[in-house]
Amino acid sequence: MSDGAAAHAAELVAVAAERRWAWIVGAIIAVIVVMMVVTGLHWASMPPSRVETVDAKTLHLRGEFVESNLGTTLAPDGKVTVRLVAQQYSFVPQCLVVPEGIPVTFRATATDVIHGFVVGTTNANTMVVPGFVATFTTTFPSAGEHLMPCHEYCGTGHEAMWAHVQVLPRDEFLARARTGERLSCVAR
Ligand code: CUA
């Protein structure tokens, strides 16, 4: 084979390889686009079964998330609910009180941007989105103190945004909750 013919053969091999890779990349992009369209249509046609909305502009004025209603409550039927609000760059209340060994339902919302929180090394973990109520129920197995940092980047003060959580022994919690007040461990 002459030098010219060898170069031509090498070029043909290179062109074939490039064309093959172009097809592979094109197929990957096509799969991703199809996935986006299918999941988008799926979510549009089958929204989550329960979405609770709340007006972020009037949170502080009326309804469930006014400041006097934030904190922990023990209902007459024994249900424990913690209500809190996340905002740049703090949680209200800054210190939460929960019982050991009793299911606790968290209800949280945000006033401004997306926040989130996780309680220490427990499975209590959620995003908090303005306009929506984030809710979950969990049980804390042992008494103790936890840090509760914001875990969604929410601005320049994000790393300084956290609350404290005190898990009280069951009897101590019940004794304090009997008063019917909204409990928290914020220093007054
Ligand atoms: Cu709030 Cu990060």
Side-chain angles (χ1 to χ4, degrees), residues 87 89 91 114-116 150-155 158-159 161:
Q87 60 200 5
Y89 295 100
F91 293 98
I114 296 178
H115 301 273
C150 176
H151 65 33
E152 292 285 340
Y153 182 75
C154 53
H158 163 70
E159 80 282 357
M161 179 171 173

Side-chain angles (χ1 to χ4, degrees), residues 14-117:
V15 167
E18 276 187 22
R19 189 161 295 141
R20 199 160 56 240
W21 279 109
W23 278 109
I24 292 171
V25 170
I28 292 171
I29 292 171
V31 166
I32 291 172
V33 168
V34 167
M35 267 165 53
M36 283 164 55
V37 170
V38 168
T39 53
L41 290 176
H42 177 79
W43 279 93
S45 60
M46 293 207 233
S49 58
R50 51 167 304 287
V51 172
E52 223 180 311
T53 57
V54 67
D55 185 354
K57 292 193 293 294
T58 58
L59 284 182
H60 59 302
L61 299 177
R62 56 180 171 269
E64 179 180 352
F65 292 97
V66 293
E67 192 166 3
S68 58
N69 199 40
L70 300 178
T72 309
T73 57
L74 174 65
D77 62 0
K79 288 216 173 74
V80 179
T81 305
V82 179
R83 291 187 180 82
L84 67 150
V85 166
Q87 60 200 5
Q88 288 169 322
Y89 295 100
S90 62
F91 293 98
V92 183
Q94 281 280 35
C95 186
L96 306 176
V97 175
V98 294
E100 168 192 15
I102 302 176
V104 178
T105 298
F106 281 79
R107 291 177 59 77
T109 191
T111 60
D112 38 35
V113 299
I114 296 178
H115 301 273
F117 64 83

